[in-house]
């Protein structure tokens, strides 16, 4: 069991690299969504790209902190309301 955990961990350099990739992708998606807002069907495009940007931003911090620590931080009492509102809005697109 310990070998499986050791084999699945990422090096610090890999974590930072994927953090940067996800963070940049999140910013690009969010800016693109905002730019597409002015098109005729822009509201739907905005919703999709902005949501993808937020998901990418969350994924980026998961690479730095790890997914379990990220989830624990998101569901702390002082952040619970913001987390629930964000998740409800993301899930409303489905």
């Amino acid at each position: 069991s310990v070998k499986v955990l050791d084999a699945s961990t990422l090096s610090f350099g890999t974590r930072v690299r994927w953090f940067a990739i996800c963070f940049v992708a999140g910013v690009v998606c969010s800016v693109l969504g905002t730019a597409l807002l002015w098109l005729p069907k822009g509201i739907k495009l905005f919703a999709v790209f902005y949501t993808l940007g937020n998901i990418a931003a969350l994924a980026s911090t998961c690479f730095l902190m790890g997914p379990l620590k990220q989830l624990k931080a998101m569901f702390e009492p002082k952040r619970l309301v913001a987390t629930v509102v964000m998740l409800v809005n993301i899930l409303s697109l489905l």
Side-chain angles (χ1 to χ4, degrees), residues 39-82:
L39 294 177
K41 300 234 181 206
I43 297 285
K44 290 180 182 179
L45 291 171
F46 169 77
V48 169
F49 279 100
Y50 200 76
T51 299
L52 289 174
N54 282 319
I55 291 170
L58 282 173
S60 71
T61 57
C62 282
F63 278 107
L64 288 183
M65 300 173 63
L68 188 58
K69 191 172 180 182
Q70 172 72 24
L71 286 172
K72 285 180 182 179
M74 286 173 61
F75 286 98
E76 287 178 354
K78 64 182 178 183
R79 296 180 179 163
L80 185 59
V81 173

Side-chain angles (χ1 to χ4, degrees), residues 4-87:
V4 172
L5 287 174
D6 289 340
S8 65
T9 59
L10 300 173
S11 71
F12 180 73
T14 302
R15 287 179 183 271
V16 171
R17 187 176 309 119
W18 279 103
F19 162 77
I21 290 168
C22 288
F23 184 78
V24 169
V27 170
V28 168
C29 283
S30 295
V31 170
L32 183 61
T34 303
L36 294 173
L37 187 59
W38 311 111
L39 294 177
K41 300 234 181 206
I43 297 285
K44 290 180 182 179
L45 291 171
F46 169 77
V48 169
F49 279 100
Y50 200 76
T51 299
L52 289 174
N54 282 319
I55 291 170
L58 282 173
S60 71
T61 57
C62 282
F63 278 107
L64 288 183
M65 300 173 63
L68 188 58
K69 191 172 180 182
Q70 172 72 24
L71 286 172
K72 285 180 182 179
M74 286 173 61
F75 286 98
E76 287 178 354
K78 64 182 178 183
R79 296 180 179 163
L80 185 59
V81 173
T83 299
V84 170
V85 168
M86 180 202 62
L87 290 176

